Amino acid sequence: MAFESTLEMQGNIAKIALVGELDASVAQNFRDKIEEAASKKAKKLVLLLATLDYMSSAGLRTLVFAKQKMGAGVTIYVVGAQPQVVEPIRQTGFHHSVVMLESYDAAVIEG
Amino acid sequence: MAQAKLSPVTVSGKFDKMGEALKALRDYAVQAAQQAGLPKSRVEGLRLAIDEYATNIIIYGYHDAGLEGDIDVSATIDDDTLTISLIDSAVAYNPTDHADPTDLDESLENRNIGGLGIMLVRQSVDDWRYERIGNQNHNHFVLKRN
């Protein structure tokens, strides 16, 4: 499936849903959404990844970009990532810097 | 011991065709890995490895070096291994000359983002052989079947 990203703001929580396959050719699309979330002063970034079938290091680099754009204090939640997306996050140590959730947990994210 | 081979495929290494090329190479790797009977986690690892390395070929090997060319991919399956081979005519790049990042535990904003792709390749394959033959880079990614 072609890559798509959508941004929804809920207060100061930016929710970005990713669909399809995220590689270097489409990573700019994802970065654009991050820029938009930053412009809306989001303090929390929720990445909804249940519909993301694949992610390369281009996606990981965008997580670094998100911290740079949104400020080091932003909390990044990675929600519902499939095993093949979780694996590179863990292999590269990025799981230390984000909150990995199996599903959207309002108590954790919005609380 | 019969050797099974998928037919080789050639994709464009042009920057503006990168999406199509990466998708085709990922699908080829998945097909080969499934044909070799690898478990899902290894299939996914190979998909990632081929994408990561081909991305580097297209961006750094061709585009940033002002070169144009293709990427040839082929697969060889024998009793013990699956080998995916990528051949390009981009700048010479020996991956064994480059070490993996060591800052994996650093906070996100302090991470050096270089070298992640190569590290992911190394972690996904059992052996990786590189040769420079004429003006071509030959990379052979080997996964054990057992």
Side-chain angles (χ1 to χ4, degrees), chain B residues 122-135:
Chain B
R122 287 208 181 97
Q123 291 180 348
S124 302
V125 302
D126 296 313
D127 191 19
W128 182 359
R129 298 193 306 274
Y130 169 83
E131 302 172 278
R132 180 77 179 173
I133 301 176
N135 72 332

Side-chain angles (χ1 to χ4, degrees), chain A residues 23-96:
Chain A
D23 65 17
S25 72
V26 296
Q28 185 61 50
N29 180 319
F30 183 22
R31 281 197 294 273
D32 289 346
K33 291 295 185 294
I34 299 288
E35 296 241 33
E36 192 179 338
S39 73
K40 295 180 192 301
K41 311 292 185 213
K43 295 288 182 283
K44 297 180 183 181
L45 176 62
V46 180
L47 302 179
L48 303 169
L49 302 192
T51 44
L52 187 67
D53 295 320
Y54 171 81
M55 184 178 76
S56 72
S57 64
L60 298 174
R61 288 192 191 85
T62 308
L63 296 182
V64 177
F65 176 78
K67 278 276 184 172
Q68 292 170 343
K69 268 291 168 187
M70 300 175 69
V74 72
T75 303
I76 300 177
Y77 299 90
V78 174
V79 178
Q82 297 181 41
Q84 68 273 18
V85 173
V86 171
E87 190 59 16
I89 294 174
R90 291 193 175 278
Q91 284 175 314
T92 53
F94 278 72
H95 60 297
H96 296 308

Side-chain angles (χ1 to χ4, degrees), chain B residues 108-129:
Chain B
L108 199 55
E109 60 272 23
N110 292 331
R111 286 294 297 269
N112 180 354
I113 60 175
L116 288 177
I118 299 295
M119 185 177 79
L120 288 169
V121 175
R122 287 208 181 97
Q123 291 180 348
S124 302
V125 302
D126 296 313
D127 191 19
W128 182 359
R129 298 193 306 274

Side-chain angles (χ1 to χ4, degrees), chain B residues 45-63:
Chain B
L46 184 63
R47 172 160 71 150
L48 181 66
I50 297 307
D51 178 315
E52 293 289 351
Y53 202 73
T55 299
N56 280 11
I57 293 172
I58 292 169
I59 295 177
Y60 304 118
Y62 283 126
H63 181 261

Side-chain angles (χ1 to χ4, degrees), chain B:
Chain B
M1 318 315 163
Q3 288 203 1
K5 264 189 137 170
L6 285 177
S7 297
V9 165
T10 297
V11 301
S12 170
K14 285 188 171 182
F15 189 74
D16 61 357
K17 300 270 192 247
M18 181 163 62
E20 299 164 30
L22 293 179
K23 174 65 174 164
L25 290 171
R26 289 198 299 270
D27 289 350
Y28 186 92
V30 167
Q31 189 182 358
Q34 289 174 340
Q35 188 172 323
L38 295 179
K40 188 170 196 302
S41 61
R42 302 222 80 196
V43 174
E44 293 296 339
L46 184 63
R47 172 160 71 150
L48 181 66
I50 297 307
D51 178 315
E52 293 289 351
Y53 202 73
T55 299
N56 280 11
I57 293 172
I58 292 169
I59 295 177
Y60 304 118
Y62 283 126
H63 181 261
D64 286 1
L67 298 173
E68 283 191 358
D70 296 329
I71 301 173
D72 299 325
V73 60
S74 60
T76 304
I77 303 172
D78 62 26
D79 282 354
D80 300 317
T81 59
L82 162 66
T83 300
I84 302 286
S85 300
L86 292 180
I87 300 175
D88 66 77
S89 51
V91 291
Y93 181 88
N94 186 342
T96 61
D97 291 341
H98 300 264
D100 286 343
T102 53
D103 61 346
L104 301 191
D105 295 329
E106 281 283 337
S107 57
L108 199 55
E109 60 272 23
N110 292 331
R111 286 294 297 269
N112 180 354
I113 60 175
L116 288 177
I118 299 295
M119 185 177 79
L120 288 169
V121 175
R122 287 208 181 97
Q123 291 180 348
S124 302
V125 302
D126 296 313
D127 191 19
W128 182 359
R129 298 193 306 274
Y130 169 83
E131 302 172 278
R132 180 77 179 173
I133 301 176
N135 72 332
Q136 292 181 330
N137 298 300
H138 291 238
N139 281 278
H140 307 286
F141 305 96
V142 184
L143 274 73
K144 294 178 187 167
R145 295 180 69 191
N146 306 300

